[in-house]
Amino acid sequence: MRVLPVGDGALLVEVASGDEAQALHAELLRRRAEGSLSVREIVPAARTVLLDGLADPARLASELTATEIAPTPPRARDVVELPVRYDGPDLADVAALWGVCTAEVARIHASTEFRVAFCGFAPGFGYLAGLPARYDVPRRATPRTAVPAGSVGLAGPYTGVYPRSSPGGWQLIGTTDAVLWDHARVPAALLSPGTRVRFVPVGPAGSVGSA
């Protein structure tokens, strides 16, 4: 663990893996909930956690570097189910990378329970972890200039859903009509760090992939 000062009242904690970042995030949330940690914002990322609004960041930095954070089981919370049509333009390419047929890509993906590791890129975009490492895929060599809202994509170890149309280089395997970001909703984001997520195939049989 490496703890870096950020300005006068913040710390950036670097760890070795995404699992460690998630465990640290969960532990810091627990401490804040019980009142032993006073902090305004706790923001996880792939291998870091940012703490902002600290009264005494130097003291907390010393405490963190002397503490071993044990893996924390996911909090008991409802699973968010996202309806998905496995009809993405990169489905066949992902099937080739995995060495399976397109129907098997859909089956593997839909049978996985994901968890939001962190959020970023665009409001409502969650980086969902859960697929085994053997299913990691590279980003596209040439990103698309416009990816439609609701596109379900893969990149590296993560699954993500584009909350709005934007450029992007993820491998697109499906589409969902779920609204990931709605400023009139409280909270506006459907997904937040720690949320459990499952993709539920919908539509005719052909929409979940074919051989």
Side-chain angles (χ1 to χ4, degrees):
M1 182 186 297
R2 193 172 105 165
V3 184
L4 304 171
V6 180
D8 295 329
L11 295 173
L12 183 69
V13 186
E14 296 181 345
V15 292
S17 69
D19 288 343
E20 289 184 27
Q22 292 173 44
L24 175 61
H25 178 240
E27 172 64 14
L28 293 170
L29 289 176
R30 184 192 67 78
R31 293 185 187 185
R32 182 168 68 176
E34 72 177 14
S36 62
L37 173 64
S38 177
V39 59
R40 184 171 63 247
E41 297 285 347
I42 305 174
V43 183
R47 292 182 178 85
T48 63
V49 179
L50 175 70
L51 297 99
D52 190 22
L54 296 167
D56 190 352
R59 181 182 61 80
L60 180 61
S62 298
E63 290 179 4
L64 289 175
T65 53
T67 302
E68 184 173 344
I69 305 298
T72 303
R75 289 177 291 168
R77 55 195 300 180
D78 293 339
V79 176
V80 173
E81 293 188 343
L82 301 180
V84 60
R85 297 177 296 278
Y86 286 99
D87 56 3
D90 301 319
L91 185 63
D93 291 339
V94 171
L97 289 167
W98 287 6
V100 300
C101 65
T102 55
E104 183 67 359
V105 172
R107 187 198 67 77
I108 293 169
H109 194 260
S111 65
T112 301
E113 182 174 293
F114 295 88
R115 188 157 65 100
V116 180
F118 58 97
C119 297
F121 170 63
F125 189 95
Y127 289 76
L128 279 59
L131 285 171
R134 65 181 178 275
Y135 296 126
D136 289 6
V137 298
R139 287 172 169 79
R140 287 173 50 85
T142 303
R144 294 179 170 90
T145 57
V147 175
S151 295
V152 179
L154 306 179
Y158 300 113
T159 290
V161 181
Y162 286 77
R164 63 187 183 192
S165 178
S166 65
W170 289 38
Q171 307 277 0
L172 306 182
I173 63 170
T175 311
T176 181
D177 294 326
V179 178
L180 278 294
W181 179 267
D182 181 355
H183 64 83
R185 182 174 58 199
V186 179
L190 180 63
L191 306 180
S192 60
T195 301
R196 298 159 61 204
V197 179
R198 278 194 176 273
F199 290 89
V200 180
V202 296
S207 69
V208 296
S210 57

